[in-house]
Amino acid sequence: MNRIEKAAIDNAGRRALQRHYEIPKLLQLAGGPLPPGAHAVEIGCGPGYGTRLILDGFRAAQVDALDLDPGMIDKARRRLSRHHPDRTRLAVGDATDLRSAFGAADGSYDAAFDFAIIHHIPNWRAALAEIARVLKPGGLFVFEEVTAHALARPSYRLLFDHPTEDRFSAAQFLPELHRHGLTVRDACTRISGDYLFGVAERRA
């Protein structure tokens, strides 16, 4: 992420959007909070606000959260030290290798969360494969994503820095989930297909 996007994800407006729109929408798609005792993983946790919402909104018992940027992990650690520090584990790491970050074996998690991170990953299919690997059968993948349609807009091209090859539309992302053993339970797009929200379940 460039400096502008880092600022865009760490401000009061973004936090309000997550709390008052994105999380309620994802909770609706998921059918409510996670089961008691659920252990979740969040890829690309940024400054940790999404992690807090997984704990408070989705009621995860424990969240492992990682980010490639050590500075973001430092911010997340400071934020989460004030909110459930005993229920979070943070690491600098790559979303395509959760084994290195957390020692995550196959079927380690009850849920995985992606708050608009996978479109930043050049090998996004490998990230989906890794999410599928670490989910238990019946585990949920909860995602919101930015599609190729949005990334092609002049505002995105001017302000932000994203991979330019192999971008995905909603019509490409959802079948890829199925290919990796994830069945889409519910999904929808917003703003002419710019944004994709959904929940998929790991097949047995």
Side-chain angles (χ1 to χ4, degrees):
M1 288 185 186
N2 63 20
R3 185 175 300 175
I4 295 173
E5 191 158 10
K6 287 181 181 180
I9 67 167
D10 190 17
N11 62 73
R14 170 61 179 151
R15 291 191 288 274
L17 181 64
Q18 278 190 288
R19 176 174 289 278
H20 298 296
Y21 176 72
E22 294 173 3
I23 293 298
K25 184 62 182 176
L26 291 170
L27 277 166
Q28 178 189 2
L29 294 172
L34 298 173
H39 188 187
V41 63
E42 181 190 9
I43 62 168
C45 65
Y49 191 69
T51 316
R52 182 181 170 189
L53 294 177
I54 296 168
L55 291 163
D56 293 343
F58 275 87
R59 301 179 192 168
Q62 185 78 28
V63 180
D64 292 346
L66 82 162
D67 200 285
L68 273 177
D69 186 340
M72 285 295 179
I73 290 295
D74 287 342
K75 286 187 175 185
R77 185 168 287 112
R78 289 194 295 272
R79 169 169 280 118
L80 294 166
S81 69
R82 303 189 298 271
H83 305 281
H84 318 303
D86 56 324
R87 294 167 57 195
T88 56
R89 186 168 57 149
L90 302 173
V92 176
D94 189 329
T96 65
D97 186 11
L98 298 174
R99 195 182 301 276
S100 293
F102 297 116
D106 296 359
S108 292
Y109 297 104
D110 301 289
F113 288 82
D114 159 31
F115 297 136
I117 291 300
I118 287 179
H119 71 279
H120 285 284
I121 302 172
N123 192 354
W124 59 274
R125 291 176 177 84
L128 292 182
E130 183 68 347
I131 287 167
R133 181 186 72 79
V134 300
L135 279 175
K136 297 175 182 177
L140 298 184
F141 175 39
V142 181
F143 57 90
E144 55 165 296
E145 266 305 328
V146 182
T147 69
H149 190 267
L151 298 179
R153 292 187 183 275
S155 55
Y156 269 85
R157 297 202 310 268
L158 176 65
L159 296 174
F160 305 132
D161 183 20
H162 295 96
T164 57
E165 303 296 326
D166 196 25
R167 292 172 172 174
F168 53 80
S169 65
Q172 293 167 314
F173 189 86
L174 297 176
E176 192 68 20
L177 296 178
H178 184 80
R179 196 170 77 81
H180 291 291
L182 297 162
T183 298
V184 177
R185 289 187 8 178
D186 207 349
C188 63
T189 57
R190 291 290 183 267
I191 311 181
S192 301
D194 281 10
Y195 304 102
L196 173 65
F197 292 76
V199 176
E201 182 175 332
R202 181 69 166 97
R203 296 193 297 274

